[in-house]
Amino acid sequence: MVGNDMMKWLKRLPLMHFVEALIACRAAKKRGKSPVLYFLLTQVFGVFVLVPLLRKPKVGTRKG
């Protein structure tokens, strides 16, 4: 039973990383960063790259 659940997660992991990488690619473009670099980094490291990227301000926006 536990092995089955683990296999389901391992099968879903590449799809989740791909979706995260697409989000990172778009976010990097809006922040003036290299979309390809962030796509690849997110494919490998996942949310650990995506969250700090999303916290950066977008190009052309001001605070206040």
Side-chain angles (χ1 to χ4, degrees):
M1 185 64 103
V2 174
N4 248 354
D5 291 339
M6 184 64 109
M7 287 304 294
K8 286 180 184 177
W9 277 105
L10 288 176
K11 288 179 182 178
R12 293 178 186 165
L13 192 63
L15 178 64
M16 290 187 293
H17 276 267
F18 181 74
V19 171
E20 290 172 348
L22 290 176
I23 294 169
C25 183
R26 182 176 171 138
K29 201 179 298 184
K30 289 183 177 182
R31 285 157 178 82
K33 305 289 183 184
S34 171
V36 175
L37 174 65
Y38 277 92
F39 181 87
L40 295 174
L41 286 174
T42 307
Q43 283 282 28
V44 175
F45 299 112
V47 73
F48 299 109
V49 174
L50 181 60
V51 170
L53 175 64
L54 291 175
R55 290 184 177 175
K56 292 181 182 180
K58 295 178 183 175
V59 173
T61 59
R62 297 185 313 186
K63 288 185 178 180

